[in-house]
Amino acid sequence: MTKAQADTAMKVIEGGKSVGNARDLLRIVIVGHVDHGKSTLVGRMFHDTGSLPDGKFESITEMCKRRGVPFEWAFLMDALQAERDQGITIDTSQIWFKTDQRDYTIIDAPGHKEFLKNMITGAAQSDAALLIIDAAEGVREQSRRHGYLLHLLGVRQVAVAVNKMDLVDYDKETFDRIEAEYRDYLRSIGVEPTFVIPVSAREGDNIVGPSTNTPWYKGPSIIGALDSFQPKSDPVDRPLRMPVQDVYKFDQRRIIAGRVEEGVIKVGDELLFSPSNKTARVESIEEWHQVPGRKAPTQAEAGYSIGITLDEQIFVERGEVISHVEHSPIETDVFRARVFWLGKEPMVPGKTYRLKLGTLDAPVTVQSIETIIDTSDLSGTSSHQVERNQVAEVVMRARRMLALDEFETSPKSGRFVLVDKYDIAGGGIISMEGYADQRGLITARSSNITKVEHGIDEQARAFRNGHKGGVLWFTGLSGAGKSTLAVALEKKLFEKGYNVYVLDGDNIRHGLNANLGFSPEDRAENIRRVGEVAALFARAGMIAITSFISPYRSDRDRAREAGGDDFHEIYVKADVETCEKRDPKGLYKKARSGEIKDFTGVSAPYEAPDMADLEVDTSAGSVEECIEQLANYVEARFKM
């Protein structure tokens, strides 16, 4: 099946069109506060554009007579009995209609707060949105929430219909006030409404053409506005992204199946599989419906579902992301997310959910809840949990590396769904602000390397030194007292006969890591190098004391892996307020003024240890008391 055939088939499925009709199809979601007139507006659009099936209008009119209720345009959309009884739309309805210019799939999404999950489902499938506001009620909290969710889901083409203008006598000042208020709000969240249109769905004003009741309005009608929107183009110019759906074996071939979500894949391309970091070249592209007599394709672009074979047999599994080597996704086990919560139970730190992203299904844990966002005014508050229908900025951590993209650069692959038990509990978008792409830290670039075996074992070194070697890894905020304690402990242990040396952050950056800055990636590489050097000290039989903020838990875990059983994580604990009062180097003051960017604890994250080997609270004890605590720890664990 060719892509053109597939597109036609999809249009037939969605709109009931005849094969061969190549008109554009636009998917548009209709959202708004309950009772603001969404279904009425949609019903009127269907009627006035001649898109209703034959006899539909008459059957609804007859039904109203039988039930003894007045006719409502909304009944044309409300297909469920429960909706007519309750007077609210409780599920998304997708119905095809047409104008002279193009075909549409209208997604009528529920506006009631209890059914926001269905509204999000509808918006996620759309190319554009028509947002309804009641002229008599004005901008409501739910109106702002819907606008925020459209932004969250990447919907950038938005028309706003100020409905029920007949109830305010088509007053221009009322319309102007609502337009100004809502435009200001949408702009504040990064959405520019293309049109704001005064309408009366009941009376048909400005639905398919201009209305004599609003001579002061010079913009397009609803249909004119919709016809000006553009369908999402296939993102063929973006970097290649093809999530692995499955792997099949036919005769001697292993065919990797998936859908090309973005970019183009060609025979001969070198591919990178993330997060496994394996590479191979495309040997062939396989179609599921091969046309007899036609040669196999040599390339496939975004929108195609294909299979590929590789020039070598590598193990690949569902959930991996195929890309080109030079434009690969991020690899990380921690990321920031802006989440809209829909769960029956609140989201709480420490709880694990299932993350669904493309074909990936992986457990992730809520590491922290940073801010609850008030969608009405965009203010933020702190909280220990996220309640249903709240938006929050959170930090999520996975048990393994994930391949993902940031939403700002890749809207399609940068959003995800969270599942609690078997229910969709929330959705969100990905940000790596303050966190590093860890691909470079876990990718081995050297080959043909053989470890040298020493003729002196660790027991012999410990016997010569009188103590075992190891790493004391001091971590904590700037100003917590890490360097002070490290230097004082070094002196105390040296006087007791220990072979000990301090690796301090500032000193290391003068030499070994002089080429590194303070970006998340450079911070991570800084700690990776120090972790390896400290492990060498430990294997030489010495005690290495490291004094580094080392803000990322993943980096400290890698340092622990390098140090093995001889690694000891020491959390030098002090809160930001205490550290800022000390501020021995004046760094907090510079960070607050914006002179220092990405400063840990102010504008960059610090992930405190959840299970440190030792915790030293410098805000509660004196330097002498802390040194005594540290020395006792060393003597108990480093003796022969």
Side-chain angles (χ1 to χ4, degrees):
M1 179 182 290
T2 66
K3 186 171 189 298
Q5 289 171 331
D7 287 345
T8 301
M10 181 60 69
K11 289 182 182 181
V12 170
I13 291 171
E14 292 182 335
K17 293 170 56 180
S18 61
V19 176
N21 193 333
R23 297 187 349 142
D24 283 343
L25 175 70
L26 189 84
R27 297 173 180 85
I28 185 161
V29 64
I30 310 290
V31 297
H33 191 281
V34 65
D35 293 331
H36 277 199
K38 298 183 314 304
S39 294
T40 300
L41 179 59
V42 174
R44 188 80 199 215
M45 284 195 301
F46 275 49
H47 177 269
D48 291 2
T49 57
S51 298
L52 288 173
D54 291 342
K56 181 70 172 179
F57 178 78
E58 290 77 11
S59 67
I60 294 294
T61 303
E62 181 61 30
M63 181 272 296
C64 290
K65 290 180 180 178
R66 290 198 310 269
R67 300 181 68 179
V69 296
F71 171 82
E72 296 284 350
W73 291 104
F75 291 162
L76 295 173
M77 278 295 296
D78 292 339
L80 298 177
Q81 180 72 31
E83 291 179 48
R84 285 191 290 270
D85 292 342
Q86 296 179 33
I88 57 174
T89 302
I90 63 175
D91 199 357
T92 57
S93 299
Q94 298 192 32
I95 302 178
W96 171 83
F97 89 111
K98 63 183 180 180
T99 66
D100 291 339
Q101 182 167 320
R102 65 150 60 97
D103 301 315
Y104 289 89
T105 295
I106 287 285
I107 306 169
D108 182 35
H112 196 274
K113 187 174 182 178
E114 292 302 313
F115 305 116
L116 281 175
K117 181 187 295 187
N118 293 333
M119 176 257 158
I120 292 173
T121 301
Q125 304 171 44
S126 65
D127 301 305
L130 178 60
L131 198 150
I132 317 299
I133 295 177
D134 188 320
E137 294 188 11
V139 179
R140 302 287 298 274
E141 177 191 358
Q142 196 79 329
S143 306
R144 293 187 174 91
R145 182 180 282 112
H146 286 151
Y148 192 90
L149 290 176
L150 292 174
H151 164 68
L152 202 66
L153 293 165
V155 180
R156 295 293 180 263
Q157 298 183 104
V158 179
V160 179
V162 181
N163 191 25
K164 303 184 183 180
M165 287 297 297
D166 54 308
L167 299 184
V168 295
D169 297 325
Y170 301 96
D171 182 55
K172 181 178 183 299
E173 290 186 4
T174 299
F175 172 79
D176 289 344
R177 174 176 50 78
I178 293 173
E179 177 183 19
E181 181 181 354
Y182 204 59
R183 277 191 183 274
D184 287 346
Y185 174 75
L186 292 180
R187 287 193 189 106
S188 71
I189 59 174
V191 176
E192 182 62 44
T194 314
F195 306 103
V196 181
I197 307 165
V199 303
S200 170
R202 175 174 292 179
E203 304 302 326
D205 296 294
N206 292 323
I207 303 298
V208 296
S211 168
T212 57
N213 290 319
T214 56
W216 40 266
Y217 174 71
K218 305 303 180 183
S221 64
I222 292 293
I223 298 303
L226 298 185
D227 281 346
S228 73
F229 287 151
Q230 297 300 314
K232 291 179 183 176
S233 58
D234 289 334
V236 295
D237 296 328
R238 300 189 59 80
L240 173 64
R241 294 293 185 270
M242 177 179 163
V244 174
Q245 176 90 18
D246 211 337
V247 180
Y248 303 103
K249 188 170 183 179
F250 291 97
D251 45 69
Q252 300 302 314
R253 298 173 301 162
R254 294 179 71 248
I255 299 179
I256 299 169
R259 184 177 191 270
V260 183
E261 297 294 346
E262 295 180 319
V264 178
I265 188 170
K266 301 178 182 178
V267 172
D269 282 357
E270 183 179 14
L271 302 181
L272 175 65
F273 294 82
S274 302
S276 67
N277 272 315
K278 296 173 183 176
T279 59
R281 291 191 179 276
V282 181
E283 191 161 275
S284 70
I285 294 176
E286 308 289 333
E287 289 183 306
W288 302 119
H289 301 285
Q290 183 68 45
V291 178
R294 195 181 74 173
K295 291 182 179 180
T298 57
Q299 73 175 51
E301 62 184 36
Y304 281 87
S305 293
I306 60 168
I308 60 172
T309 64
L310 305 175
D311 64 346
E312 57 180 298
Q313 299 293 340
I314 61 174
F315 178 75
V316 175
E317 58 185 341
R318 176 182 172 88
E320 294 212 52
V321 177
I322 298 174
S323 71
H324 292 127
V325 175
E326 59 272 19
H327 296 292
S328 57
I330 294 165
E331 282 194 6
T332 184
D333 61 354
V334 61
F335 60 92
R336 290 186 183 276
R338 185 162 288 187
V339 173
F340 185 81
W341 191 244
L342 300 163
K344 299 175 183 177
E345 299 177 0
M347 170 189 275
V348 294
K351 185 167 181 178
T352 298
Y353 303 95
R354 305 292 303 182
L355 178 139
K356 290 185 177 291
L357 176 61
T359 59
L360 174 69
D361 185 333
V364 292
T365 301
V366 181
Q367 179 170 298
S368 62
I369 297 172
E370 306 286 286
T371 307
I372 303 296
I373 300 171
D374 186 336
T375 56
S376 63
D377 60 11
L378 303 184
S379 62
T381 58
S382 59
S383 176
H384 297 298
Q385 61 185 29
V386 185
E387 301 289 348
R388 185 180 177 91
N389 295 326
Q390 284 187 326
V391 176
E393 291 182 349
V394 303
V395 176
M396 312 291 295
R397 181 172 291 277
R399 298 171 185 170
R400 62 181 178 89
M401 286 293 167
L402 306 176
L404 46 81
D405 290 294
E406 290 196 86
F407 176 79
E408 288 300 322
T409 56
S410 300
K412 190 164 189 176
S413 54
R415 60 191 185 192
F416 61 89
V417 166
L418 292 176
V419 176
D420 187 13
K421 299 182 180 68
Y422 299 101
D423 296 326
I424 294 176
I429 59 177
I430 295 166
S431 167
M432 290 298 293
E433 182 182 358
Y435 287 97
D437 180 353
Q438 300 181 48
R439 182 184 294 277
L441 304 173
I442 61 175
T443 303
R445 293 183 173 86
S446 301
S447 59
N448 300 318
I449 303 297
T450 303
K451 283 189 175 182
V452 174
E453 296 297 331
H454 292 273
I456 307 170
D457 61 24
E458 293 184 9
Q459 289 76 16
R461 295 182 190 276
F463 182 78
R464 170 69 65 85
N465 294 331
H467 63 82
K468 296 189 294 185
V471 178
L472 296 176
W473 191 278
F474 286 20
T475 177
L477 292 170
S478 177
K482 298 183 302 299
S483 295
T484 300
L485 294 184
V487 171
L489 180 63
E490 178 189 40
K491 185 173 185 296
K492 187 176 185 69
L493 294 178
F494 182 79
E495 290 171 349
K496 289 189 173 188
Y498 288 87
N499 286 317
V500 59
Y501 192 78
V502 170
L503 299 172
D504 182 77
D506 288 345
N507 293 338
I508 288 290
R509 284 183 175 274
H510 278 296
L512 176 66
N513 294 344
N515 65 325
L516 298 177
F518 291 91
S519 69
E521 285 73 21
D522 281 357
R523 286 178 186 271
E525 174 61 15
N526 181 55
I527 298 307
R528 188 195 69 80
R529 295 182 191 179
V530 171
E532 295 293 340
V533 170
L536 292 175
F537 272 69
R539 286 194 284 273
M542 300 182 65
I543 296 176
I545 305 174
T546 70
S547 175
F548 294 85
I549 294 173
S550 48
Y552 305 120
R553 192 176 299 165
S554 303
D555 298 337
R556 300 195 299 268
D557 289 344
R558 273 188 286 272
R560 181 183 290 276
E561 185 177 346
D565 295 337
D566 299 322
F567 182 92
H568 303 261
E569 185 177 42
I570 313 297
Y571 180 26
V572 182
K573 182 180 179 181
D575 56 34
V576 174
E577 291 74 21
T578 299
C579 295
E580 193 160 2
K581 287 177 182 177
R582 294 170 180 168
D583 203 8
K585 302 173 185 176
L587 300 179
Y588 282 93
K589 185 177 180 180
K590 292 180 180 179
R592 295 294 184 190
S593 67
E595 187 176 343
I596 298 178
K597 305 294 184 183
D598 299 321
F599 187 76
T600 305
V602 176
S603 52
Y606 176 75
E607 299 177 340
D610 53 355
M611 292 183 66
D613 296 291
L614 178 67
E615 184 176 294
V616 180
D617 191 345
T618 61
S619 63
S622 65
V623 172
E624 292 75 17
E625 290 171 336
C626 293
I627 292 298
E628 190 66 27
Q629 183 183 2
L630 287 163
N632 291 338
Y633 180 88
V634 171
E635 290 179 359
R637 285 163 179 77
F638 286 79
K639 63 184 178 180
M640 290 285 294

